[in-house]
Amino acid sequence: MKVFKFGGASVKDAASIKNVSAILTRFTGRKIIVVVSAMGKTTNKLEEIVGSLLAKDQKTFVGLVDELQQNHLEIAAGLFPDKHFHIFELLDDIFDDLRGQIQRNISDNHAFVYDQIVSLGELLSSQIVNAYLLDQGLNSQWLDARTVIRTDNKYQEGTVDWKKTALLCEQHVLPAFQQHDILLTQGFIGHTSEGFTTTLGREGSDYSAGILAYSCNATDVTIWKDVPGMLNADPKYFTDTRLLEHISFKEAIELSYYGASVIHPKTVQPLQQKNIPLYVKSFLDPEAKGTTISSSTSQDAKIPSFIVKKEQLLLTISSKDFSFIAEQHLSDIFQTLAQLQIPINIMQNSALNFSILVDRKKVKLESLRAALEATYQLRYNEGLELVTIRNYDQQTLEQMTKGKETIIEQRTRNTARLVLRYLE
Ligand code: ASP
């Protein structure tokens, strides 16, 4: 059994969904779990809908729901010429139910409310795609991911119960494959033991593919993207990017840790544990080779990879009484950063200072200052970028630092990390 994952861009309109069906037709007769994301930017729209619901802003809420419904209806109309096709009724029911939310009492647990509503994006897309596959004569069956993926009650970032999920896979997935070739399911969502919907964190559909592959013992996973595979740099910032044809699980985890955005960071871990290869391929050119991620490390160091994070903020924390920054201080500071959910990109300490580099957007400076104020002083530098080079050499280092001031440089044998500022 294979697992395929199609993201938002691959199901963003009727033509894209037809392309998904064409790709699946090439695999007729194979057993495939197909995981789909919400269509295009639906999840962002649903987040706005949750915002207006929590703010009890009925006018905005209704406007946004109407817009989203219109968008889904247009896509469905591009796939199913018969206006009476059952999918239209199903879509109406889902949207009527969503509209009714504004009349109901809303739970105080906003993360819970978020998950119950934002998960609709994947439910809608999976219903539409499945109906289209059936219409095209593919032997597909819609599978509610919530009957299979079990999580705890941590809404918006559910933690997977691996044992239970494997058991549920055995009960629901394996028997379904006796009658069907394709099980079409949703990425991003799971369920609690009480049956409530949870989500796995933004961009979590890749992770769903990894969870299902691990739990159902798939032979391989393919993530179909609008890029030719994993590239050694982001084409947004670099002109001559190269395809990484083959990298190891470890290298893929490293690259996604440093910020390479092609696959969700959590996806690879379960696959690595069971040695299930992961292919990243282009849905625009399904014949092309793409990237293979497997246990083999032989190709890892062949090509340098570049990962750039813009809009970085360098925070420098020092104690007010000029004492050394020692273990107790570090422990206090880390606790505060964890409480305020500030992820650290780089850290460095000296006798009197502890410096961390963070994404500008992820830190509320005033809250951090207030939390540290009693004991510490906080200074910061803005307008920096972080460049990570895997498998660097002297030439790549020079190339990346040209015309820039190096504020921090950290190197291991394989990885160079540079905090840079553009020279005026
Ligand atoms: N639809 C979700 C999101 O946009 C999950 C995903 O697409 O991976 O974050």
Side-chain angles (χ1 to χ4, degrees):
M1 165 212 321
K2 293 172 165 297
V3 176
F4 282 1
K5 184 258 172 172
F6 291 95
S10 52
V11 290
K12 69 176 190 305
D13 51 27
S16 312
I17 294 169
K18 289 179 182 173
N19 185 48
V20 168
S21 164
I23 291 177
L24 290 170
T25 308
R26 305 161 77 101
F27 294 87
T28 303
R30 307 295 293 266
K31 304 288 178 193
I32 311 176
I33 300 179
V34 177
V35 175
V36 294
S37 294
M39 292 168 166
K41 301 278 173 235
T42 299
T43 306
N44 293 352
K45 236 321 91 73
L46 284 163
E47 284 190 343
E48 287 179 49
I49 288 175
V50 173
S52 62
L53 178 70
L54 294 175
K56 302 204 167 54
D57 178 352
Q58 177 152 9
K59 192 157 164 262
T60 308
F61 175 84
V62 172
L64 288 167
V65 174
D66 285 351
E67 207 182 300
L68 193 66
Q69 180 167 22
Q70 196 49 37
N71 185 248
H72 280 82
L73 287 177
E74 271 166 27
I75 295 173
L79 296 169
F80 312 107
D82 176 4
K83 300 257 158 320
H84 301 290
F85 195 58
H86 66 89
I87 192 78
F88 292 98
E89 209 176 304
L90 191 79
L91 296 182
D92 282 348
D93 286 349
I94 294 176
F95 280 102
D96 286 347
D97 192 48
L98 176 57
R99 259 186 214 92
Q101 294 281 346
I102 197 97
Q103 318 298 347
R104 288 180 210 140
N105 285 334
I106 306 163
S107 158
D108 288 338
N109 183 347
H110 290 181
F112 168 83
V113 176
Y114 176 101
D115 282 3
Q116 309 318 302
I117 291 181
V118 174
S119 53
L120 291 179
E122 270 69 14
L123 292 168
L124 288 162
S125 67
S126 61
Q127 290 285 7
I128 294 175
V129 175
N130 187 57
Y132 186 70
L133 297 184
L134 288 172
D135 203 45
Q136 294 302 299
L138 288 161
N139 182 8
S140 179
Q141 162 82 22
W142 186 80
L143 170 74
D144 190 333
R146 296 169 299 184
T147 53
V148 185
I149 298 183
R150 170 67 62 81
T151 70
D152 63 2
N153 291 41
K154 203 162 144 222
Y155 293 101
Q156 286 192 292
E157 189 83 57
T159 306
V160 176
D161 178 339
W162 294 95
K163 261 204 187 131
K164 190 75 193 168
T165 301
L167 203 72
L168 292 170
C169 268
E170 221 175 281
Q171 284 166 3
H172 297 283
V173 172
L174 303 182
F177 271 131
Q178 286 175 0
Q179 282 158 42
H180 303 280
D181 291 338
I182 295 173
L183 295 184
L184 194 296
T185 193
Q186 311 77 41
F188 184 49
I189 70 175
H191 76 300
T192 66
S193 56
E194 301 92 353
F196 291 117
T197 306
T198 47
T199 62
L200 305 170
R202 283 302 308 263
E203 313 289 333
S205 292
D206 288 358
Y207 185 38
S208 300
I211 298 166
L212 291 170
Y214 175 95
S215 307
C216 306
N217 292 314
T219 52
D220 49 68
V221 176
T222 306
I223 296 185
W224 296 91
K225 309 263 319 176
D226 54 359
V227 288
M230 270 186 93
L231 301 175
N232 73 327
D234 187 339
K236 256 197 310 205
Y237 306 125
F238 294 84
T239 42
D240 44 1
T241 54
R242 292 167 68 188
L243 179 72
L244 300 171
E245 283 184 17
H246 200 152
I247 58 170
S248 67
F249 291 123
K250 192 171 150 283
E251 185 69 6
I253 292 172
E254 292 277 355
L255 290 174
S256 65
Y257 168 78
Y258 292 126
S261 57
V262 176
I263 38 177
H264 186 279
K266 285 180 176 173
T267 310
V268 181
Q269 279 134 1
L271 301 180
Q272 184 202 13
Q273 281 182 45
K274 287 205 174 165
N275 204 4
I276 301 170
L278 169 63
Y279 307 112
V280 182
K281 284 167 84 77
S282 164
F283 59 74
L284 302 167
D285 186 6
E287 281 284 318
K289 231 169 149 205
T291 299
T292 300
I293 302 169
S294 73
S295 56
S296 162
T297 53
S298 62
Q299 306 285 310
D300 277 353
K302 293 257 157 83
I303 303 178
S305 290
F306 302 85
I307 300 131
V308 179
K309 284 189 175 222
K310 301 268 185 195
E311 289 187 62
Q312 299 294 296
L313 189 68
L314 184 66
L315 301 169
T316 300
I317 301 164
S318 44
S319 68
K320 283 186 169 166
D321 62 3
F322 283 90
S323 56
F324 284 164
I325 294 287
E327 289 73 10
Q328 189 52 52
H329 294 112
L330 291 172
S331 158
D332 286 352
I333 296 169
F334 279 125
Q335 215 170 358
T336 306
L337 294 170
Q339 267 159 11
L340 297 177
Q341 296 182 338
I342 302 175
I344 302 171
N345 293 333
I346 263 199
M347 55 189 167
Q348 181 145 304
N349 61 332
S350 66
L352 297 176
N353 292 324
F354 178 61
S355 298
I356 54 168
L357 191 75
V358 297
D359 291 351
R360 178 75 190 89
K361 286 195 190 117
K362 293 194 182 145
V363 55
K364 289 197 184 83
L365 271 176
E366 281 328 304
S367 322
L368 179 62
R369 200 187 292 282
L372 294 170
E373 200 165 44
T375 320
Y376 302 97
Q377 208 178 29
L378 178 69
R379 287 167 287 142
Y380 64 90
N381 274 294
E382 282 185 289
L384 304 174
E385 69 177 31
L386 170 62
V387 177
T388 303
I389 316 174
R390 285 286 286 173
N391 311 314
Y392 66 94
D393 56 21
Q394 198 49 36
Q395 193 193 343
T396 50
L397 283 177
E398 280 166 21
Q399 185 191 332
M400 290 317 299
T401 49
K402 211 157 112 201
K404 293 171 195 165
E405 180 190 0
T406 305
I407 311 279
I408 294 179
E409 178 171 341
Q410 290 182 354
R411 291 198 213 178
T412 63
R413 264 178 302 167
N414 297 325
T415 311
R417 310 199 76 198
L418 307 161
V419 180
L420 303 170
R421 189 206 322 262
Y422 279 93
L423 293 173
E424 299 295 309

